[in-house]
């Protein structure tokens, strides 16, 4: 059973503690780490369950559109992701994507867009996706080639997006494309594209080590009305980065959930596995590992809830969110690896909890900015802070 003393840290309020308790109880009753082999069906079902239970209300901002609050509460998002991740990686994924996929609309959408899209997302009636990456533009987002050319009251979209979570099952996709107002990052706009729009196809479904819906998207003379642009023309990079600033911290929280589950599993294993006339936990080598795992988790949690709290105070958290994501995902990988090692052969048996966690954590060190990208962000911010003031 996880140590929950972190819930008493000053970053969190009594409402946060109450929410974690209610969700944890709900998750124990309703979620299982094992899913149908059909990840699409499992994901649809989880969105339905999370929507019916009201949890998706926290993934969007705007009480008028079905949100729990007017402004997304980052600490709530983090607590929900951490708790869901402890119980089911796919449930965490389903929750996170509703938020990430509709985040641009919450933050920059028109009144009409908010009314049309946010309510069904918050209820679990519509599934959302966020389409930024391309085959030749992953870490280097500004290299994107997908373009949208205005033609009267429409934009005509051509190009590809890849690694798109919920690709193939989503009802709406927030797509970023080059609109050419300026070179590089300043010439990009965001659009919402409905599933089924003519000229929009799922070109390929992609299988990954921890199965979830993932696809490459193709746009061929795909016409969408100008009213589907999210935010101002040329501001798409800002839209994408602001959305990621909210959800990047929550990737750290999901990693924490996986790490806490791994530590729970390791504790149970270490204290029950008999060898050489005692238990695995009696060996100091094991104790050193357990100490390192617990300390890493607390350090990552402090960075995560610091970033979430700071954002909820209305502060800029580019550096803090990057520190949290970098530390929590890398730490979780080490914690899970150490836990798996304690299970010996059993650790690599398919669908054992630690084997599943080992597969689930891996992509978190890559998406929403790989570890190296987080390091660059942190260093850039440090150097900016250190630069002499211009006179
Ligand atoms: C499971 C999964 C789900 C995803 N879901 C989505 C989604 O829903 N929407 C979306 O838009 N994208 C999504 N992505 C894409 C993800 O954001 C990209 O994979 C990521 O940005 C890395 O881009 P890339 O794969 O092209 O790798 P590359 O950009 O080719 O980078 C490869 C590696 O190079 C290293 N690297 C990068 N930059 C530097 C540097 N400056 N210096 C040194 N090393 C560096 C990193 O280790 C990186 O992993 C998803 C990816 C995965 C794996």
């Amino acid at each position: 059973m996880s140590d929950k003393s972190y819930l008493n840290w000053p970053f969190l309020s009594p409402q946060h503690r109450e929410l974690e308790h209610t969700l944890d109880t709900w998750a124990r009753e309703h979620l299982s780490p094992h899913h149908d082999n059909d990840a699409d069906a499992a994901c649809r079902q989880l969105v339905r369950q999370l929507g019916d239970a009201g949890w998706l209300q926290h993934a969007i901002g705007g009480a008028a559109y079905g949100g729990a609050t007017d402004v997304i509460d980052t600490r709530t998002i983090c607590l929900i992701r951490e708790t869901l991740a402890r119980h089911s990686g796919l449930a965490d994924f389903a929750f996170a994507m509703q938020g990430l996929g509709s985040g641009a609309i919450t933050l920059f959408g028109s009144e009409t867009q908010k009314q049309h899209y946010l309510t069904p997302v918050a209820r679990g009636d519509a599934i959302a996706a966020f389409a930024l990456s391309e085959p030749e533009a992953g870490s280097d987002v500004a290299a994107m080639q997908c373009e949208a050319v205005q033609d009267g009251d429409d934009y005509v979209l051509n190009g590809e997006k890849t690694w798109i979570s919920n690709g193939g099952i989503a009802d709406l996709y927030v797509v970023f494309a080059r609109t050419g107002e300026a070179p590089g990052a300043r010439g990009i706009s965001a659009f919402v594209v409905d599933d089924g729009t003519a000229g929009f196809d799922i070109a390929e479904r992609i299988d990954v080590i921890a199965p979830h819906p993932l696809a490459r998207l193709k746009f061929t003379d795909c016409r969408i009305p100008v009213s589907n642009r999210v935010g101002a023309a040329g501001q798409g990079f800002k839209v994408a980065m602001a959305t990621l600033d909210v959800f990047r911290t929550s990737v750290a929280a999901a990693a924490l959930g996986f790490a806490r589950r791994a530590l729970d599993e390791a504790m149970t294993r270490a204290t029950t596995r008999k060898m050489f006339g005692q238990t695995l936990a009696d060996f100091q080598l094991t104790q050193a590992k357990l100490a390192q795992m617990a300390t890493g988790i607390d350090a990552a949690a402090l960075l995560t809830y610091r970033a979430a709290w700071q954002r909820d105070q209305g502060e800029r958290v580019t550096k803090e969110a990057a520190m949290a994501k970098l530390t929590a995902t890398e730490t979780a990988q080490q914690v899970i690896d150490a836990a798996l090692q304690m299970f010996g052969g059993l650790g690599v048996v398919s669908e054992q909890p630690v084997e599943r966690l080992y597969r689930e954590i891996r992509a978190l060190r890559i998406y929403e900015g790989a570890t190296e990208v987080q390091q660059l962000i942190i260093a850039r911010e440090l150097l900016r802070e250190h630069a002499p003031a211009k006179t």
Side-chain angles (χ1 to χ4, degrees):
M1 180 68 182
S2 292
D3 170 18
K4 296 224 176 154
S5 55
Y6 73 98
L7 292 170
N8 294 321
W9 289 350
F11 298 126
L12 300 171
S13 69
Q15 287 80 6
H16 290 121
R17 288 188 267 285
E18 176 67 27
L19 176 129
E20 192 278 345
H21 177 71
T22 313
L23 176 58
D24 194 40
T25 307
W26 180 85
R28 272 174 213 286
E29 274 174 37
H30 294 91
L31 301 181
S32 154
H34 305 288
H35 299 288
D36 196 313
N37 283 339
D38 180 349
D40 289 4
C43 202
R44 282 198 183 96
Q45 152 90 5
L46 283 163
V47 170
R48 177 79 280 131
Q49 275 181 282
L50 291 165
D52 288 348
W55 298 114
L56 295 179
Q57 291 171 15
H58 298 280
I60 68 143
Y65 320 108
T69 46
D70 276 333
V71 178
I72 289 178
D73 184 70
T74 323
R75 288 165 294 170
T76 297
I77 297 261
C78 287
L79 278 174
I80 292 178
R81 290 203 62 181
E82 179 173 346
T83 307
L84 292 176
R86 266 203 329 265
H87 292 278
S88 154
L90 202 57
D92 163 59
F93 168 83
F95 174 83
M97 284 315 303
Q98 291 298 90
L100 181 65
S102 67
I105 302 172
T106 286
L107 295 173
F108 296 93
S110 66
E111 184 57 31
T112 315
Q113 288 167 355
K114 288 181 178 182
Q115 281 179 8
H116 185 69
Y117 292 108
L118 293 184
T119 308
V121 168
R123 287 192 184 139
D125 293 338
I127 294 181
F130 176 84
L132 181 66
S133 306
E134 296 183 6
E136 300 304 326
S139 305
D140 185 6
V141 176
M144 86 170 47
Q145 291 168 8
C146 185
E147 64 167 10
V149 176
Q150 191 166 353
D151 180 24
D153 291 338
D154 293 335
Y155 276 97
V156 182
L157 222 65
N158 278 290
E160 284 192 354
K161 292 285 164 186
T162 195
W163 314 118
I164 306 310
S165 297
N166 277 343
I169 68 162
D171 299 288
L172 62 127
Y173 296 77
V174 170
V175 178
F176 296 84
R178 184 160 293 292
T179 38
E181 289 76 10
R186 282 170 296 138
I188 292 168
S189 303
F191 303 91
V192 55
V193 180
D194 295 308
D195 181 41
T197 305
F200 166 37
D201 295 296
I202 302 299
E204 179 191 7
R205 297 300 303 270
I206 305 167
D207 287 333
V208 280
I209 55 176
H212 70 253
L214 197 69
R216 180 163 58 86
L217 319 180
K218 190 159 174 55
F219 300 94
T220 315
D221 295 330
C222 173
R223 275 185 180 270
I224 45 167
V226 169
S227 57
N228 277 29
R229 195 184 65 225
V230 183
Q235 295 294 303
F237 190 74
K238 188 175 137 197
V239 171
M241 292 307 126
T243 310
L244 289 173
D245 255 4
V246 180
F247 290 96
R248 188 168 280 150
T249 308
S250 80
V251 179
L256 269 176
F258 292 140
R260 286 193 204 280
R261 178 63 187 263
L263 180 58
D264 282 353
E265 299 290 338
M267 292 296 295
T268 305
R269 169 77 178 179
T271 51
T272 53
R273 175 66 171 164
K274 298 268 194 305
M275 60 175 75
F276 305 108
Q278 49 185 0
T279 68
L280 185 56
D282 290 322
F283 292 95
Q284 288 190 342
L285 282 174
T286 309
Q287 292 168 17
K289 269 190 205 158
L290 292 171
Q292 203 170 355
M293 291 157 87
T295 307
I297 288 174
D298 266 12
L302 281 163
L303 285 173
T304 302
Y305 287 102
R306 189 253 319 237
W309 171 82
Q310 202 167 323
R311 186 176 181 280
D312 290 338
Q313 309 312 303
E315 293 176 31
R316 191 169 172 269
V317 293
T318 307
K319 183 179 75 184
E320 291 75 10
M323 285 177 168
K325 195 214 172 227
L326 164 72
T327 306
T329 56
E330 293 293 329
T331 301
Q333 180 84 66
Q334 289 160 16
V335 168
I336 292 166
D337 188 55
L340 187 148
Q341 188 74 8
M342 286 184 207
F343 275 77
L346 206 51
V348 291
V349 172
S350 295
E351 288 303 318
Q352 279 292 317
V354 286
E355 184 272 343
R356 200 173 27 73
L357 292 165
Y358 194 80
R359 289 184 287 108
E360 271 168 342
I361 188 59
R362 192 61 187 86
L364 277 67
R365 292 169 57 207
I366 297 170
Y367 64 57
E368 294 194 36
T371 290
E372 293 77 2
V373 171
Q374 306 307 328
Q375 289 171 323
L376 289 177
I377 292 172
I378 297 163
R380 188 191 63 207
E381 293 294 308
L382 280 176
L383 292 167
R384 200 173 56 82
E385 289 162 12
H386 185 74
K390 286 190 184 132
T391 51

